[in-house]
Amino acid sequence: MQVENKLFDDLARVASGAAGALSGIRGEVEGQIRQQFERILAQMDVVSREEFEAMKAVAVEARARQEALEERLAALEARLSAAKAD
């Protein structure tokens, strides 16, 4: 009976060690994949989310200014047409 308990204890230690090793390997593989993915993205010259949001804000502001200028131009053209009609 004692031999069986020792055998089960040894098997449990081996299984525990294997689980720990697999956990370490998993972390290492995840790290390697993350590094490779970041390297690929850097080579593709992909912008970050922060850069995208900043440029989006610039584009929205430029669009608003363009629309305001179009309104001013239309008002000036209307005044000019009215002045020519007089």
Side-chain angles (χ1 to χ4, degrees), residues 44-72:
M44 291 175 61
D45 199 26
V46 177
V47 298
S48 68
R49 186 66 169 168
E50 293 82 19
E51 290 173 317
F52 174 79
E53 291 298 331
M55 289 309 298
K56 183 178 173 183
V58 168
V60 167
E61 183 179 344
R63 169 66 78 162
R65 286 184 177 188
Q66 176 191 0
E67 289 172 355
L69 287 173
E70 287 175 352
E71 289 174 9
R72 277 184 65 191

Side-chain angles (χ1 to χ4, degrees), residues 26-43:
R26 178 181 177 212
E28 188 173 325
V29 168
E30 286 176 354
Q32 291 292 331
I33 290 172
R34 185 176 295 113
Q35 286 178 353
Q36 186 68 21
F37 188 66
E38 289 173 357
R39 194 174 310 125
I40 289 169
L41 286 178
Q43 290 173 351

Side-chain angles (χ1 to χ4, degrees), residues 10-26:
D10 288 344
L11 286 174
R13 274 192 229 110
V14 168
S16 176
L22 287 176
S23 176
I25 290 172
R26 178 181 177 212

